[in-house]
Amino acid sequence: MWRTRAAAACVICRSLANSSCGIKRKSPLQNLHLVSRSIHHPYYPSAKFQRPPLRISIQQLSSLNRLPLHKTKLLNVKHGYQSHRNFWLARLASRLLRVRYLILGSAVGGGYTAKKTYEQWKDMIPDLEDYKWIVPDFVWELDELVDIEKLLKALPDADDLAKLMPDFEKIGESLASLKGFLSPGSPGETAFRATDQGYDNDKQFKKGLLGELILLQQQIQQHEEEARRAAGFSSQQKRKVSDKEKIDQLQEELLRTQLKYQRMLERLEKENKELRKLVLQRDDKGIHQRKLKKSLIDMYSEVLDILSDYDASYNTQDHLPRVVVVGDQSAGKTSVLEMIAQARIFPRGSGEMMTRSPVKVTLSEGPHHVALFKDSSREFDLTKEEDLAALRNEIEIRMRNSVKEGCTVSTETISLSVKGPGLQRMVLVDLPGVISTVTSGMAPDTKETIFSISKAYMQNPNAIILCIQDGSVDAERSIVTDLVSQMDPQGKRTIFVLTKVDLAEKNVASPNRIQQIIEGKLFPMKALGYFAVVTGKGNSSESIESIKEYEEEFFQNSKLLKTSMLKAHQVTTKNLSLAVSDCFWKMVRESVEQQADAFKATRFNLETEWKNNYPRLRELDRNELFEKAKNEILDEVISLTQVTPKHWEEMLEKTLWERVSTHVIENIYLPAAQTANSGTFNTTVDIKLKQWTDKQLPNKAVEVAWETLQEEFSRFMTEKKGKEHDDIFDKLKQAVKEETIKRHKWNERAEDSLRVIQHNALEDRSISDKQQWDAAIHFMEETLQSRLKDTESVIEDMVGPDWKKRWLHWVGRTKEQNIRNETKNELEKLIKCNEDHPAYLANDEVTTVRKNLEARGVAVDPCLIKDTWHQIYRRYFLKSALNHCNLCRRGFYYYQRHFVDSELECNDIVLFWRIQRMLAITANTLRQQLTNTEVRRLEKNVKEVLEDFAEDNEKKVMLLTGKRVQLAEDLKKVREIQEKLEAFIEALHQEK
């Protein structure tokens, strides 16, 4: 029976072995339990059982290679063995489950190993989280806004890209060495601690590059402690020579460590700078076609520019942070600023004052090293010497233009932006150097003005004061330190910079004074940090790179570092730039929201005041009011073209006759009327008309036309338009009118063409019809009556009131009037005796009149007699001429027959007809010139004047004044400042 069962088991085992469906695995028999094997195969002793080696090739099971298992097919056996087969199937299933655990364990082990490797690599990379600001904002948004497929197509080939990419193997080696250098306990562990005697000394920076510098300084101090202990121990053991060598060795090791770390940082920063420049240049070339956002520092600089133009009122002051650079004259302020900006951008002079006004410099990062002014679009390439020279010249010109006459310095701020790879983002204000004595050529108040400008900037509680002290002169000669200590007595926002340390080391007899200055023990002022820098050898032609190399070489060999009088983090302008930028942004983050709230409150107060005072008016600032006034003025100028031709001609003819009527009557008509016959009359008239036309008439006509145009223009400009009239524009309109009239000149060729037309008109004597004849008579009568009325008025003033006025108004005559009255009566008798008397009195007639008056007891002067005769004869002549006009009303018939067989001569009527026709033709010609040419030229001049006024802010401030304008201006400025501050704060929070 045992044999039967064993045989059946063998059959089952063979069946299982043959039914693997192509899977190469161990045989089922080998997977069975040892007891099962002993039962199935009694001839196979279990005590000697060993797992036979695999004879077939299998694939290793791991987390990286899992092949699916196929279902095995068992042989059909008899029903009597069914329960025993189920037992073996369970055993087989349990063995398969164990294989799954092996696979899962391999996967977990591989994952743990990969994670451990990743953590090791991650620990090797320094924490650069605090330096995300180095990369512009748009880089983090590339995955959202850029089409990756198009970007991949636009990228160069793999070979070209490989040339552009840095050597990652070298970078990996640098990171590994830097990791070992930064590991605790290593000789390269670094530290940085800014000397702070006004702040809490326990506050340290623990993140980013500054945190690493702190660790570097701590390690250096540990080495110094070890050196001191070694020195003490050596003195105790009386081994001075060997201990001194050990101390020197430790100090040299410290210097080598510091220099090694510095070189590694510079190399990494250079590679990072090149990569950022490459990214910015590709973006600048248009890899993605979207408008770039303004950088954070540019947004902040715009707010400061607006605040500099804003008239601080309503208890609102500018307390936004900026770096204020102050120092004595020629202390090296400008040189420090140029080292931070990495370009020689300021004008230079030997000993004389060069900074004559505050210069605001906004530093930001960009692909190219360029500079540009706030009010100009020109970019100065700072890598080209000719552009640098042009920039320095432009700054000097702007400074001199900002200085008013009689002054030496100006309070007007010049705004300049400098962009370039690797520049620290901040806003600096370079102020004029503080002086102790006013020299010749300076204004008497120069010293006080510089002090007031410096105090105004330093009084800002959030301003960072960068105090520059010349290290090559005696500290007792410093003026600026006392001024800074007054503004910031606790030193919570002051950074002290000692310049020209190379000269100080040579000239100072006791180097300990430099150490006392840097430690804040020599000056009475306190500071947040102390730095020592070298800004060149004093040669203005030195480049920034050469100055950097000289500075680095000096500090490498300086005894000040070797003897630990100066710490590594307190030297070079590079460390200074990092520290100033960090303090600047720390101050910005702490104070900007408070300033935004202050402007928000100011805006609410201004809006409330406007609603209470001007509830129905729009809030138009000065520029908007100017645009509104400009449109009204242009509309009024256009209205000149709508004046009818009839109106122009009537005004021109009337005005021209008023101007020339006196000349016509006195110089042409009256002299010709004194002639004996008509021939002489016509000859005289023709000669005098030609002379008048050649010399005076055209010019007089142009003057009349220009005055008429001015009158109409003034009428339209000053005419009030009912309720819509805004008197706030009156002063502006008056200024525009005066300036336009001043600039406008009539066409010079108009007189020449007008002279020909007038000459032809006056030569014509042919009156065509009775209507023109009657019109000439009417024109002559009106003219003579007007002259007669004027003459009688003159005579009345000469002789006094008549008897009616004397009785009615109780007025009398003066003595002179009585004499003239007697003279008038005597002259009237003379005219009655001789009605054809000429216009002039003869001398014997004057004597006769004088003797007749003397006989009546009236003493009279001959000049008085002639003067009175002129008016008496004039009145007599005008009355005679009016009577003659009445007679000539029926003389048109005789005129057509040329007065043949007629005693009536009406040549004077023909003269006035010629004058009247000339006036009409001249008025028509001038009207054409007005409407076709001069009105358009006047409109062009008005536009030019308005454009000039629009560009002249001082002119607009002078012409658009009043509480309403100023309130709208303040409201606009405060709104703009608040909106820009809120946008800046939002961007600042996003950068965090």
Side-chain angles (χ1 to χ4, degrees):
M1 183 174 182
W2 284 99
R3 290 180 179 178
T4 306
R5 292 181 178 177
C10 293
V11 172
I12 294 172
C13 293
R14 287 193 296 268
S15 300
L16 290 173
N18 296 328
S19 61
S20 60
C21 298
I23 300 176
K24 297 180 180 180
R25 299 180 55 87
K26 295 180 180 180
S27 64
L29 181 60
Q30 294 172 345
N31 290 332
L32 295 178
H33 196 269
L34 295 177
V35 177
S36 301
R37 294 178 186 174
S38 63
I39 295 174
H40 288 217
H41 301 275
Y43 55 87
Y44 201 146
S46 60
K48 297 181 180 180
F49 176 80
Q50 293 181 354
R51 190 183 300 266
L54 293 175
R55 298 179 181 179
I56 57 176
S57 62
I58 62 172
Q59 295 183 352
Q60 298 294 331
L61 299 176
S62 67
S63 61
L64 302 176
N65 188 10
R66 297 184 182 180
L67 295 176
L69 296 176
H70 297 280
K71 296 181 180 180
T72 58
K73 297 182 180 180
L74 300 178
L75 293 174
N76 293 328
V77 297
K78 294 181 179 180
H79 180 72
Y81 297 97
Q82 187 69 27
S83 61
H84 189 70
R85 271 195 309 273
N86 292 338
F87 173 78
W88 295 114
L89 289 173
R91 296 286 186 180
L92 180 61
S94 66
R95 298 302 181 272
L96 295 176
L97 290 176
R98 290 183 181 181
V99 174
R100 181 186 64 182
Y101 293 141
L102 291 174
I103 295 173
L104 182 61
S106 301
V108 172
Y112 175 75
T113 303
K115 181 179 180 182
K116 185 176 181 181
T117 304
Y118 167 73
E119 293 295 337
Q120 292 177 353
W121 276 93
K122 183 178 180 182
D123 293 338
M124 290 174 62
I125 301 176
D127 185 11
L128 301 176
E129 185 67 24
D130 292 341
Y131 300 94
K132 293 174 65 177
W133 54 268
I134 294 177
V135 181
D137 297 338
F138 65 85
V139 175
W140 306 111
E141 302 174 0
L142 286 176
D143 56 344
E144 299 178 2
L145 303 175
V146 178
D147 190 346
I148 300 300
E149 295 181 359
K150 293 183 178 180
L151 181 61
L152 291 176
K153 294 179 180 180
L155 287 175
D157 298 338
D159 297 337
D160 297 336
L161 189 61
K163 297 178 182 179
L164 296 175
M165 297 300 290
D167 192 348
F168 289 103
E169 294 181 359
K170 293 183 179 180
I171 294 177
E173 294 175 1
S174 301
L175 291 175
S177 59
L178 182 60
K179 172 61 182 177
F181 202 69
L182 298 176
S183 61
S186 65
E189 184 176 7
T190 60
F192 173 90
R193 175 170 34 184
T195 305
D196 184 358
Q197 304 204 358
Y199 251 14
D200 187 0
N201 291 330
D202 296 334
K203 294 182 179 180
Q204 296 180 353
F205 299 101
K206 297 182 179 180
K207 294 183 179 181
L209 182 58
L210 293 180
E212 297 171 6
L213 294 175
I214 292 173
L215 295 177
L216 174 61
Q217 181 60 26
Q218 291 176 353
Q219 183 64 22
I220 293 173
Q221 291 179 355
Q222 290 178 5
H223 282 285
E224 291 175 352
E225 292 294 334
E226 292 179 1
R228 294 191 187 97
R229 287 196 298 270
F233 182 75
S234 63
S235 62
Q236 294 176 1
Q237 299 298 328
K238 298 181 180 180
R239 291 179 296 179
K240 297 181 179 180
V241 178
S242 61
D243 291 341
K244 184 177 180 181
E245 293 177 355
K246 187 176 181 180
I247 292 172
D248 294 340
Q249 184 179 1
L250 288 174
Q251 290 179 349
E252 291 178 0
E253 183 180 355
L254 285 176
L255 289 176
R256 286 196 300 271
T257 302
Q258 295 171 0
L259 294 176
K260 180 180 178 182
Y261 176 72
Q262 189 72 19
R263 285 194 295 268
M264 293 175 64
L265 282 179
E266 289 177 357
R267 185 171 65 252
L268 291 175
E269 288 178 357
K270 185 176 181 181
E271 292 177 358
N272 189 21
K273 177 180 176 181
E274 293 298 329
L275 289 174
R276 290 199 308 268
K277 183 177 180 180
L278 180 62
V279 172
L280 292 173
Q281 285 178 343
R282 294 208 167 208
D283 177 73
D284 190 42
K285 292 178 181 178
I287 291 180
H288 55 83
Q289 301 296 328
R290 74 177 183 91
K291 188 176 181 180
L292 295 179
K293 297 190 301 182
K294 290 184 178 179
S295 65
L296 198 62
I297 191 65
D298 289 337
M299 296 171 64
Y300 186 74
S301 179
E302 285 185 0
V303 176
L304 296 182
D305 289 335
I306 299 172
L307 283 173
S308 65
D309 300 333
Y310 175 61
D311 184 15
S313 57
Y314 303 97
N315 299 322
T316 300
Q317 296 181 357
D318 175 16
H319 287 167
L320 289 175
R322 72 260 285 161
V323 181
V324 180
V325 185
V326 296
D328 298 334
Q329 183 178 348
S330 302
K333 303 188 311 331
T334 301
S335 298
V336 172
L337 210 58
E338 288 179 336
M339 291 295 291
I340 295 176
Q342 299 182 15
R344 309 300 293 268
I345 58 178
F346 290 103
R348 313 185 69 82
S350 57
E352 65 174 314
M353 178 182 294
M354 297 305 297
T355 305
R356 298 180 178 270
S357 65
V359 181
K360 182 176 74 68
V361 182
T362 303
L363 300 180
S364 59
E365 192 174 26
H368 307 288
H369 202 186
V370 296
L372 65 158
F373 292 96
K374 177 187 71 173
D375 54 353
S376 176
S377 60
R378 179 186 176 184
E379 285 190 351
F380 296 88
D381 190 350
L382 302 183
T383 60
K384 298 179 179 179
E385 187 58 37
E386 55 270 19
D387 279 20
L388 279 171
L391 176 61
R392 290 192 291 264
N393 185 52
E394 180 67 19
I395 292 176
E396 185 174 1
I397 292 174
R398 287 174 179 258
M399 284 184 181
R400 295 189 181 277
N401 292 338
S402 65
V403 177
K404 297 180 180 179
E405 186 177 358
C407 300
T408 306
V409 294
S410 171
T411 58
E412 184 179 344
T413 304
I414 298 174
S415 182
L416 178 68
S417 296
V418 178
K419 299 181 180 181
L423 293 183
Q424 300 297 321
R425 303 178 302 168
M426 68 183 92
V427 177
L428 305 101
V429 181
D430 186 21
L431 300 180
V434 179
I435 60 175
S436 58
T437 305
V438 177
T439 60
S440 60
M442 292 186 180
D445 61 343
T446 302
K447 179 179 177 181
E448 291 74 15
T449 303
I450 294 175
F451 268 86
S452 63
I453 293 173
S454 302
K455 288 182 179 180
Y457 277 91
M458 289 190 291
Q459 281 176 350
N460 180 359
N462 298 319
I464 299 171
I465 303 173
L466 194 63
C467 180
I468 309 297
Q469 172 62 35
D470 189 350
S472 63
V473 300
D474 295 336
E476 290 76 12
R477 294 168 58 185
S478 176
I479 306 173
V480 71
T481 51
D482 294 335
L483 182 61
V484 172
S485 61
Q486 295 175 10
M487 297 294 103
D488 184 25
Q490 299 300 323
K492 294 183 178 180
R493 52 189 181 89
T494 300
I495 296 177
F496 183 87
V497 181
L498 186 67
T499 61
K500 306 178 184 178
V501 182
D502 52 340
L503 299 178
E505 186 180 29
K506 296 178 182 178
N507 301 333
V508 177
S510 176
N512 293 330
R513 286 178 64 86
I514 299 178
Q515 184 178 7
Q516 291 177 354
I517 294 174
I518 296 301
E519 291 178 354
K521 297 179 181 179
L522 188 61
F523 290 110
M525 59 172 288
K526 298 179 181 180
L528 184 65
Y530 295 82
F531 290 87
V533 299
V534 175
T535 56
K537 301 179 182 179
N539 187 2
S540 60
S541 61
E542 288 181 293
S543 64
I544 296 296
E545 294 299 328
S546 62
I547 295 175
K548 285 183 178 180
E549 293 176 359
Y550 173 71
E551 184 182 40
E552 182 180 353
E553 181 182 357
F554 168 77
F555 284 116
Q556 285 179 0
N557 303 321
S558 175
K559 296 179 181 179
L560 299 174
L561 274 180
K562 290 183 178 180
T563 56
S564 299
M565 292 185 181
L566 297 178
K567 305 299 185 295
H569 67 271
Q570 292 180 313
V571 298
T572 71
T573 52
K574 186 173 185 179
N575 290 335
L576 170 65
S577 178
L578 289 170
V580 173
S581 177
D582 186 75
C583 293
F584 170 75
W585 285 107
K586 180 181 178 182
M587 190 70 76
V588 168
R589 290 185 174 92
E590 290 176 353
S591 61
V592 67
E593 292 187 359
Q594 181 182 359
Q595 293 298 307
D597 293 338
F599 281 104
K600 186 176 181 181
T602 304
R603 174 179 176 177
F604 175 78
N605 295 336
L606 293 175
E607 289 177 345
T608 303
E609 184 177 358
W610 181 274
K611 291 178 182 178
N612 294 334
N613 291 293
Y614 311 102
R616 298 182 180 180
L617 296 177
R618 290 178 56 197
E619 300 169 0
L620 300 178
D621 60 11
R622 185 172 281 109
N623 291 330
E624 293 171 338
L625 286 172
F626 182 83
E627 290 298 323
K628 183 178 179 181
K630 177 181 177 181
N631 294 332
E632 289 187 6
I633 293 172
L634 292 177
D635 291 341
E636 290 162 358
V637 174
I638 293 175
S639 299
L640 286 174
T641 60
Q642 300 176 358
V643 178
T644 60
K646 182 179 178 182
H647 180 72
W648 279 119
E649 291 181 9
E650 289 177 354
M651 291 184 60
L652 290 168
E653 186 174 352
K654 178 182 177 182
T655 307
L656 181 60
W657 175 240
E658 290 176 355
R659 293 294 181 85
V660 303
S661 60
T662 301
H663 180 82
V664 171
I665 298 298
E666 302 294 336
N667 298 330
I668 298 177
Y669 175 61
L670 289 178
Q674 304 302 319
T675 57
N677 52 54
S678 61
T680 308
F681 177 88
N682 292 331
T683 302
T684 305
V685 167
D686 291 342
I687 293 173
K688 290 186 176 294
L689 285 178
K690 189 176 186 308
Q691 293 175 350
W692 182 46
T693 305
D694 292 339
K695 297 180 179 180
Q696 301 179 10
L697 183 57
N699 182 264
K700 187 69 67 175
V702 171
E703 290 181 1
V704 168
W706 175 219
E707 292 176 3
T708 303
L709 180 60
Q710 291 182 37
E711 291 177 2
E712 286 297 298
F713 179 55
S714 301
R715 182 174 66 85
F716 282 109
M717 291 285 287
T718 58
E719 184 179 5
K720 295 185 178 181
K721 298 175 177 58
K723 296 181 179 180
E724 297 180 358
H725 178 73
D726 195 345
D727 56 0
I728 202 171
F729 300 144
D730 291 346
K731 188 182 291 186
L732 175 61
K733 290 181 178 180
Q734 182 67 22
V736 171
K737 183 192 73 173
E738 293 176 356
E739 185 66 22
T740 303
I741 292 173
K742 181 179 179 182
R743 294 186 184 185
H744 186 80
K745 294 182 179 179
W746 203 273
N747 189 1
E748 296 178 355
R749 298 180 180 179
E751 291 187 13
D752 298 334
S753 60
L754 194 61
R755 181 178 292 105
V756 176
I757 294 173
Q758 291 172 341
H759 183 73
N760 294 333
L762 289 174
E763 284 184 348
D764 188 9
R765 295 190 183 93
S766 58
I767 303 176
S768 59
D769 54 15
K770 182 69 166 57
Q771 186 178 0
Q772 294 182 8
W773 180 269
D774 293 340
I777 293 175
H778 180 71
F779 175 63
M780 180 178 176
E781 285 180 344
E782 285 184 350
T783 303
L784 296 179
Q785 286 176 359
S786 175
R787 295 292 167 180
L788 179 60
K789 184 177 180 181
D790 295 339
T791 303
E792 288 179 348
S793 176
V794 172
I795 293 174
E796 184 177 357
D797 293 337
M798 292 173 60
V799 302
D802 56 3
W803 65 271
K804 291 183 180 179
K805 290 183 179 180
R806 290 198 303 270
W807 280 97
L808 293 176
H809 301 287
W810 288 84
V811 291
R813 292 173 175 170
T814 63
K815 182 179 180 180
E816 183 180 358
Q817 289 177 342
N818 286 325
I819 295 173
R820 285 186 177 274
N821 184 52
E822 294 294 334
T823 305
K824 177 184 76 76
N825 295 333
E826 188 69 23
L827 292 173
E828 287 178 349
K829 293 178 183 179
L830 182 63
I831 291 177
K832 288 180 180 178
C833 295
N834 185 11
E835 294 182 355
D836 295 332
H837 196 286
Y840 301 98
L841 282 175
N843 291 331
D844 56 346
E845 291 177 335
V846 173
T847 303
T848 303
V849 172
R850 182 171 60 83
K851 288 182 178 180
N852 292 337
L853 291 175
E854 289 177 353
R856 294 199 301 267
V858 180
V860 64
D861 185 73
C863 293
L864 187 144
I865 296 173
K866 293 180 180 180
D867 187 27
T868 306
W869 167 257
H870 177 73
Q871 299 299 330
I872 297 300
Y873 182 82
R874 183 184 182 87
R875 182 177 64 177
Y876 169 74
F877 174 79
L878 292 175
K879 288 181 179 180
S880 301
L882 285 172
N883 293 330
H884 183 69
C885 285
N886 191 24
L887 294 175
C888 288
R889 289 183 183 278
R890 54 186 178 85
F892 181 70
Y893 171 75
Y894 299 104
Y895 167 76
Q896 289 180 329
R897 297 180 59 186
H898 303 287
F899 300 104
V900 178
D901 300 331
S902 174
E903 297 179 356
L904 184 63
E905 294 182 357
C906 298
N907 294 314
D908 49 356
I909 304 297
V910 176
L911 170 63
F912 276 90
W913 177 83
R914 294 165 67 184
I915 298 294
Q916 186 182 31
R917 185 169 180 273
M918 182 273 298
L919 292 174
I921 294 176
T922 302
N924 180 268
T925 303
L926 293 174
R927 189 266 308 167
Q928 293 179 9
Q929 293 180 0
L930 279 173
T931 55
N932 296 336
T933 306
E934 300 304 327
V935 171
R936 295 180 181 178
R937 293 179 64 238
L938 182 69
E939 182 180 357
K940 181 180 178 181
N941 290 335
V942 170
K943 291 180 179 179
E944 291 177 355
V945 170
L946 289 173
E947 290 176 358
D948 294 342
F949 283 8
E951 296 176 358
D952 191 348
N953 291 326
E954 294 182 359
K955 181 76 72 174
K956 289 192 289 186
V957 171
M958 182 176 64
L959 297 177
L960 294 173
T961 58
K963 180 180 178 182
R964 168 184 159 193
V965 181
Q966 190 60 43
L967 186 58
E969 280 288 305
D970 293 339
L971 190 54
K972 175 192 174 183
K973 290 288 185 183
V974 171
R975 281 176 177 168
E976 187 177 6
I977 292 170
Q978 183 197 358
E979 291 172 359
K980 289 188 177 293
L981 272 178
E982 290 177 352
F984 171 75
I985 292 172
E986 182 180 357
L988 188 65
H989 289 165
Q990 291 178 357
E991 188 183 63
K992 289 183 180 179

